[in-house]
Amino acid sequence: MIYFDNAATSWPKPPGVAEAMLHFLNQVGANPGRSGHRLSVEAGRIVYQVREALATLFNVRDPLRIVFAANATEALNLALRGYLHAGDHVITASMEHNSVMRPLRALAGPSAGRQAITLTVVPCSPQGFLDPADLEVAIRPETVMIVLNHASNVCGSLLPVREAGAIARRHACLLLVDAAQTAGAYPLDVEADQIDLLVFTGHKALVGPMGTGGLAIGERVDLGRLDPLKRGGTGSRSERQEQPDFLPDKYESGTANAVGLAGLGAGVRWVLDRGVPAIRRHEVELTRRLIDGLTGIPGVTVYGGLDAARQTATVSFNIAGLLPSDVGLALDEEHDIMCRVGLHCAPAAHETLGTFPQGSVRLSLGALTTAGEVDTALEAVDKLAR
Ligand SMILES: Cc1ncc(COP(=O)(O)O)c(C=O)c1O
């Protein structure tokens, strides 16, 4: 069986992830940050080490600036709904996932009434790329945030976050980057890229379990303005009935997913040990093999820039005369290949690529994918196309 759905969630997980979760459940078990006994202290230590590992990975100076959430979607909602106010102007691009688009559309829509923000969606090219000059043109005096996907979950195209960071600084607004598709697979440095809010998910290229994710909050973000999504028990300042105002507790109410975080810690350490540049080299090589193979099959249209160096290991295509759903079913049932078909929670991206509403077939590789698996998938697509 070949698993080519790593853009939805990575699998299999590397050795150590399940073991770390089992260790937490069987040997630690306690609630982190809630009690003074040694098991609780140990649980708190494990959770803090995950913050440290992520801070190292993203070059965040203070690990306490890493805030955990259930997934990237929750972290995006925290950043957008927590920070944006009536009258603010926000700029995003047309390759965004619905985890960005839906909160922004809701904040800008008629139901927001007098609280509404205004939103500019900058069009990307039909290959899924964004010209940073178009971002700068969209800036207004009331622009408070640029929100950008680091890489498309549909065709893998990389967007110019570093240039967007420079634009955000020039115009005194914040840059929020949705790194759901790149954290763990592509180098990210909040200092060099000038990212103010970096959203990550734990269950994709960070190779942790589902139920983990979060955001790194930069020093330019006014914490007084960034409201929490939820308030409640934090284990700190228990004498007070008001929410603590310090990081990370202000944004982390309720018992943490410590079992999941233990697994995420093992995943991030695996990524750090292998090294993001090595993972990236491996994925670029396999992506090139996949793109070259697919573009050579008559009747197959591949979307995006067709350049492995400018995208992640996610490749979308269609076969003339076949519905994406039929291709997906045949790959699963006849060839034991797991992929994802349709619109991938990103209708705006498909509109940009010209594949709306039928969508596409998406093959997404991972750090553990082999060249042999790519070749087997190419043979299967060739057979279906013929
Ligand atoms: C670009 C992008 N943003 C956000 C998300 C949402 O991630 P999560 O499932 O962790 O909420 C995804 C997941 O597919 C994604 O690809």
Side-chain angles (χ1 to χ4, degrees):
M1 198 266 278
I2 294 177
Y3 182 84
F4 274 2
D5 198 14
N6 288 281
T9 200
S10 58
W11 191 81
K13 303 299 178 186
V17 173
E19 287 79 356
M21 296 172 77
L22 272 178
H23 169 78
F24 190 94
L25 271 176
N26 291 333
Q27 311 292 329
V28 185
N31 202 326
R34 296 298 191 272
S35 314
H37 58 77
R38 83 182 85 122
L39 289 180
S40 175
V41 171
E42 174 62 5
R45 195 182 63 83
I46 289 171
V47 170
Y48 186 73
Q49 283 177 341
V50 190
R51 285 189 220 281
E52 282 186 320
L54 286 163
T56 303
L57 188 68
F58 301 140
N59 192 25
V60 172
R61 260 181 289 197
D62 178 3
L64 296 178
R65 289 194 161 269
I66 306 274
V67 168
F68 291 122
N71 43 47
T73 304
E74 190 178 67
L76 285 163
N77 273 270
L78 162 57
L80 298 173
R81 288 165 52 192
Y83 193 81
L84 299 174
H85 291 153
D88 289 342
H89 176 240
V90 175
I91 302 171
T92 191
S94 72
M95 289 304 288
E96 297 302 316
H97 188 275
N98 268 346
S99 291
V100 164
M101 273 311 183
R102 287 181 173 171
L104 285 179
R105 291 285 183 207
L107 286 166
S111 60
R114 285 194 290 118
Q115 299 303 311
I117 64 162
T118 52
L119 177 65
T120 300
V121 181
V122 178
C124 295
S125 73
Q127 289 74 38
F129 295 108
L130 173 70
D131 182 346
D134 293 342
L135 272 185
E136 193 146 24
V137 168
I139 297 269
R140 298 181 197 162
E142 65 275 21
T143 306
V144 297
M145 196 185 275
I146 298 173
V147 184
L148 218 53
N149 201 339
H150 193 189
S152 161
N153 66 309
V154 176
C155 65
S157 56
L158 286 156
L159 298 197
V161 291
R162 189 163 289 193
E163 290 83 346
I167 293 169
R169 295 286 154 117
R170 268 204 297 282
H171 297 276
C173 60
L174 299 183
L175 173 65
L176 186 164
V177 171
D178 171 6
Q181 290 295 330
T182 50
Y186 191 89
L188 269 164
D189 179 328
V190 292
E191 296 286 330
D193 296 333
Q194 306 192 78
I195 299 172
D196 299 299
L197 292 155
L198 176 73
V199 169
F200 58 91
T201 194
H203 64 95
K204 299 187 200 268
L206 293 176
V207 295
M210 297 173 196
T212 60
L215 80 161
I217 302 178
E219 282 155 22
R220 289 198 327 141
V221 178
D222 174 4
L223 297 184
R225 188 185 154 142
L226 181 62
D227 278 339
L229 266 191
K230 54 195 180 192
R231 294 178 172 81
T234 57
S236 56
R237 297 282 159 86
S238 286
E239 76 285 3
R240 295 187 53 200
Q241 294 186 22
E242 290 78 31
Q243 188 74 4
D245 59 2
F246 51 85
L247 286 167
D249 297 27
K250 181 173 180 182
Y251 306 106
E252 287 185 356
S253 290
T255 296
N257 174 14
V259 181
L261 291 174
L264 176 61
V268 177
R269 279 188 291 279
W270 183 86
V271 167
L272 286 169
D273 284 349
R274 259 202 166 189
V276 175
I279 292 172
R280 174 73 187 147
R281 273 196 302 278
H282 174 73
E283 293 193 357
V284 167
E285 201 176 297
L286 295 186
T287 306
R288 190 166 290 137
R289 194 181 187 97
L290 181 60
I291 292 174
D292 288 352
L294 285 173
T295 50
I297 301 174
V300 169
T301 304
V302 184
Y303 304 104
L306 309 185
D307 178 358
R310 296 181 71 200
Q311 68 170 82
T312 59
T314 290
V315 178
S316 257
F317 68 97
N318 272 316
I319 301 178
L322 291 179
L323 289 173
S325 51
D326 290 339
V327 176
L329 197 65
L331 287 175
D332 180 354
E333 290 186 346
E334 295 163 27
H335 299 277
D336 265 352
I337 296 170
M338 311 298 135
C339 69
R340 182 165 173 200
V341 299
L343 292 170
H344 313 98
C345 299
H350 278 282
E351 278 172 9
T352 306
L353 298 171
T355 45
F356 188 86
Q358 81 279 8
S360 62
V361 183
R362 182 182 78 179
L363 299 179
S364 50
L365 320 181
L368 296 173
T369 300
T370 64
E373 289 178 317
V374 171
D375 292 345
T376 304
L378 287 170
E379 280 166 31
V381 175
D382 184 61
K383 201 168 162 202
L384 290 173
R386 271 189 285 123

